[in-house]
Amino acid sequence: MIKGGAITIFLLYLVFGLYFILSSFNFITIPEIILKFDKWIILVGGVLILIGGINYFRARKKAL
């Protein structure tokens, strides 16, 4: 069973991942109010990607 915190982190990864995809391909027009926070969103997304990479290596060590 997945804990509530894990679901929250997964949803954050999903939201930021979709934002990066949609902003680069322009499938959907992003509202101006969100574009004001574009640098912050990219910063948080980058941090989440780094955390994901670290967790991947930590989980990989335990599996070996």
Side-chain angles (χ1 to χ4, degrees):
M1 183 145 203
I2 298 176
K3 295 179 183 176
I7 291 173
T8 304
I9 297 296
F10 170 74
L11 289 175
L12 284 174
Y13 279 118
L14 184 67
V15 166
F16 283 109
L18 288 174
Y19 176 79
F20 288 151
I21 291 169
L22 293 177
S23 67
S24 64
F25 289 118
N26 292 326
F27 287 133
I28 298 172
T29 305
I30 299 173
E32 281 293 321
I33 195 156
I34 294 175
L35 289 176
K36 290 180 182 178
F37 300 106
D38 189 50
K39 290 182 182 181
W40 288 104
I41 292 171
I42 292 173
L43 174 71
V44 171
V47 169
L48 287 175
I49 290 170
L50 289 174
I51 290 170
I54 292 168
N55 284 336
Y56 171 76
F57 284 117
R58 288 178 60 215
R60 186 94 171 140
K61 279 185 177 180
K62 290 179 182 177
L64 297 175

